[in-house]
């Protein structure tokens, strides 16, 4: 699923530039982003009532009507994990940014390299805090950190999620869970299995061997895709670009 980014700015030219930068960063970082522009704080508030799954909001502080600081305080009260990036021509509001735990504070004119650094930081933070919200077969609501998931195994009506500490059994389809996972950190290796690449130690023609010795089957049809994902993950790891599956 793509991450959702909102640009709340009453200057169309500025908003358009930020949208272009996000698209460029999305391509270069291989992270899917869905971006929408809002011309006022009030316009975003209206959408927020129905859509609260935003990853990042870029807020111009000085706007007609409600200002960005006021909107940020409201949003922080609603969602402690929403990442807020302030954009303004004046440095006078930096302390306000601390009050809402803003990701960063960018001064106009926006430098492309500085903006990309902020997006890198936001993406890393999202990966570190990425969870699945699950309902077990016992009806218990639990959160599973994606970086802790070793593999998933599907059965007729349930899926077992094997983490570093426990096995969670949930009543849903494995396809539904796959849609919620960080794509670059997991691979579907069989119609009934998904593996966290951080825990894959070795790949063979018919199986993936995990760090703890677990053998997970690899279907013939998916072998090439699994092999590419395995190699790509460890190339990123060697370059220092850790994802959700980073070992701790």
């Amino acid at each position: 699923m793509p991450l959702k980014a909102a640009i709340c700015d009453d200057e169309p030219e500025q908003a358009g530039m930020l949208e272009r930068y996000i698209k460029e960063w999305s391509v270069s970082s291989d992270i899917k982003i869905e971006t929408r522009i809002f011309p006022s704080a009030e316009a975003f508030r209206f959408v927020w009532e129905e859509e609260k799954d935003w990853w990042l909001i870029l807020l111009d502080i000085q706007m007609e009507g409600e200002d960005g600081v006021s909107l940020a305080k409201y949003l922080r009260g609603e969602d402690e994990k929403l990442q807020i990036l302030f954009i303004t021509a004046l440095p006078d509001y930096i302390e306000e940014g601390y009050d809402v735990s803003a990701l960063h504070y960018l001064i106009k004119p926006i430098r492309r390299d500085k903006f990309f650094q902020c997006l890198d930081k936001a993406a890393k933070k999202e990966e570190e805090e990425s969870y699945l919200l699950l309902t077990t077969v016992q009806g218990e609501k639990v959160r599973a950190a994606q970086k802790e998931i070793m593999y998933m195994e599907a059965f007729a009506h349930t899926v077992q999620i094997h983490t570093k500490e426990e096995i969670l059994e949930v009543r849903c389809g494995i396809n539904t869970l796959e849609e919620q996972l960080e794509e670059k950190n997991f691979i579907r290796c069989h119609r009934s299995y998904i593996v966290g690449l951080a825990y894959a130690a070795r790949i063979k023609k018919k199986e993936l061997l995990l760090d703890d010795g677990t053998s997970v089957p690899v279907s013939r049809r998916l072998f090439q895709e699994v092999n590419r994902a395995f190699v790509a993950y460890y190339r990123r790891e060697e370059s220092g670009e850790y994802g959700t599956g980073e070992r701790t």
Side-chain angles (χ1 to χ4, degrees), residues 75-235:
L75 294 174
R76 181 57 73 227
E78 292 265 304
D79 186 344
E80 63 181 20
K81 291 187 177 181
L82 174 66
Q83 301 198 58
I84 299 170
L85 177 57
F86 281 128
I87 295 171
T88 187
L90 301 172
D92 302 342
Y93 298 92
I94 291 180
E95 289 188 8
E96 302 280 4
Y98 293 131
D99 290 343
V100 296
S101 301
L103 177 73
H104 203 72
Y105 193 106
L106 288 175
I107 306 296
K108 299 177 184 178
I110 305 302
R111 285 175 46 186
R112 182 176 177 274
D113 60 334
K114 289 290 186 183
F115 186 55
F116 275 31
Q117 288 174 13
C118 289
L119 294 177
D120 288 340
K121 183 179 178 181
K124 183 176 181 181
K125 187 175 180 181
E126 172 68 17
E127 290 179 338
E128 290 173 348
E129 298 180 355
S130 188
Y131 291 88
L132 295 181
L133 181 60
L134 306 166
T135 303
T136 68
V137 293
Q138 293 81 21
E140 181 184 7
K141 295 283 187 182
V142 297
R143 290 199 314 167
Q146 291 198 28
K147 66 181 180 181
E148 301 289 324
I149 296 173
M150 299 174 66
Y151 70 98
M152 299 181 179
E153 181 178 3
F155 295 90
H157 303 292
T158 62
V159 176
Q160 285 189 353
I161 301 174
H162 295 251
T163 75
K164 291 169 63 176
E165 303 296 334
E166 60 183 335
I167 300 174
L168 300 169
E169 189 170 14
V170 298
R171 197 178 301 280
C172 70
I174 196 168
N175 292 339
T176 300
L177 294 173
E178 184 178 20
E179 291 175 356
Q180 301 176 56
L181 296 171
E182 296 287 341
E183 291 183 17
K184 66 181 181 180
N185 297 319
F186 292 88
I187 187 65
R188 185 76 170 265
C189 59
H190 185 279
R191 66 180 183 178
S192 299
Y193 289 87
I194 296 173
V195 167
L197 288 166
Y199 301 98
R202 186 178 179 186
I203 183 171
K204 296 184 177 182
K205 282 289 185 181
K206 296 183 179 181
E207 64 179 344
L208 265 173
L209 296 177
L210 306 188
D211 289 340
D212 66 350
T214 299
S215 173
V216 177
V218 176
S219 70
R220 181 186 303 176
R221 178 178 62 86
L222 294 174
F223 173 77
Q224 293 298 334
E225 183 179 347
V226 173
N227 189 53
R228 284 194 296 269
F230 179 83
V231 172
Y233 180 86
Y234 283 99
R235 282 179 177 168

Side-chain angles (χ1 to χ4, degrees), residues 4-16:
K4 292 174 63 175
I7 301 170
C8 195
D9 195 321
D10 60 359
E11 297 180 20
E13 186 175 344
Q14 171 86 12

Side-chain angles (χ1 to χ4, degrees), residues 38-69:
F38 299 88
S40 67
E42 291 82 1
F44 182 77
R45 270 186 185 257
F46 181 79
V47 172
W48 175 262
E49 292 305 314
E50 298 295 330
E51 300 178 34
K52 298 190 177 181
D53 56 342
W54 296 90
W55 161 59
L56 173 71
I57 181 168
L58 284 65
L59 269 177
D60 187 2
I61 288 182
Q62 295 173 300
M63 295 184 288
E64 291 189 14
E66 183 179 9
D67 62 66
V69 172

